[in-house]
Amino acid sequence: MLRIAVAALFVWVAWWNAAAAQWRDTPAVKALHDAARQEGEVVLWGPQQRDLNWVARAFGAMFPGVAVRTLADADAAARIVTDSRTNTYVADVLWTSLPAGAPAIQRSLAATPDWSQFGVAEDDVAFDGRMAFTNNTVYVVAYSTDHAKDSDIPESWADFADQRLAGKMATSLYALPRLTAGLAQNWGEERALQFTRDLVQRAEIMVTRGPRDGYLKSGERPIALAELDGLARLWVGDGLPIRYKLPQPVVAAQYGVISLAHAPHPNAALLLAGWLASPEGKAARERATGAIDYRPSSRNAAARALHARGVPFVFENAADVRTRDALTERLTFLLSNVAR
């Protein structure tokens, strides 16, 4: 069986590499690359430099001759909207979260590319094709291996409100409302609100505006609820005695890329946006930053294993952006009264 599995894996890898070569070498993409080289550069905006500084080298390795300039600003999406009011267009491409990108899309600032020419799956786009997904952030539970056992950590989010965990958990005022608003897509709003109340009243969770790794290391609060998977991986990578679990349903925030309608370098903008959303762009992002694409079409081995097991996912989606944001604000207000 192992030999069959390994053989199947090699066949799949060969197919995937061939598919990558096919879209990159099509006449349409070659012509787009030639036009992008004539423009000479492309300007990419996003919220954090760590998420941008790898792009120039990786993109240039596949499509040489186009310089990538970046600007990192937590309010990059809002700046694009503000600049548009004075007909000022500087950015070509925006990489951001789905909720942050929604205002730019609603104001007709996004182009509608043919994402399929870059090998992007049909269900990996949102807002009628004006955003293509690149990666996810999922919410996990981190725990100290010195002060907690794997068997102490429930497999389901609902079970964390159990009184047996009273006084053992800490969480972030930023992350917990976003996790719970995501769970509301699956559970409904009332159950999500009751879950939050139970965490505070029954499980006596500590809600904090500060970092949680100190509580994990000391054992004062050996379980950190609703951590972002990237942060948990950093803790593990730094050698801290910490592990993490993905309780079910897996709640996934969504990040994506927008090729802007008024891009100063329209061909380079389309090429960069398409590459960022392509399987090759996603793989380059994962190698550089650890950010994973968890969607059903993902090439990531861990994501594919989760889907193969039938693990339920709750993905952020364009239709629920306003409802989810409103519930997040309500939950943040409720938890602010007990945060420290």
Side-chain angles (χ1 to χ4, degrees), residues 1-79:
M1 291 296 292
L2 179 59
R3 289 181 180 177
I4 294 173
V6 171
L9 177 62
F10 276 115
V11 169
W12 178 82
V13 169
W15 170 85
W16 181 64
N17 288 336
Q22 287 172 6
W23 77 256
R24 183 180 58 192
D25 295 332
T26 61
V29 173
K30 285 184 175 181
L32 187 63
H33 184 201
D34 289 340
R37 279 190 293 209
Q38 291 298 312
E39 293 169 347
E41 67 175 13
V42 61
V43 181
L44 170 64
W45 283 17
Q48 295 185 28
Q49 191 60 46
R50 178 177 177 272
D51 294 313
L52 305 178
N53 59 15
W54 62 275
V55 174
R57 178 177 294 181
F59 177 68
M62 190 165 180
F63 294 107
V66 184
V68 179
R69 293 197 291 116
T70 61
L71 181 141
D73 188 321
D75 296 321
R79 282 186 58 178

Side-chain angles (χ1 to χ4, degrees), residues 11 46 53 57 91 93-94 112 116 143 160 212 267 318 330:
V11 169
N53 59 15
R57 178 177 294 181
V93 177
L94 172 65
T112 310
S116 65
Y143 62 97
F160 283 92
R212 280 75 55 203
N267 295 292
R330 184 178 175 188

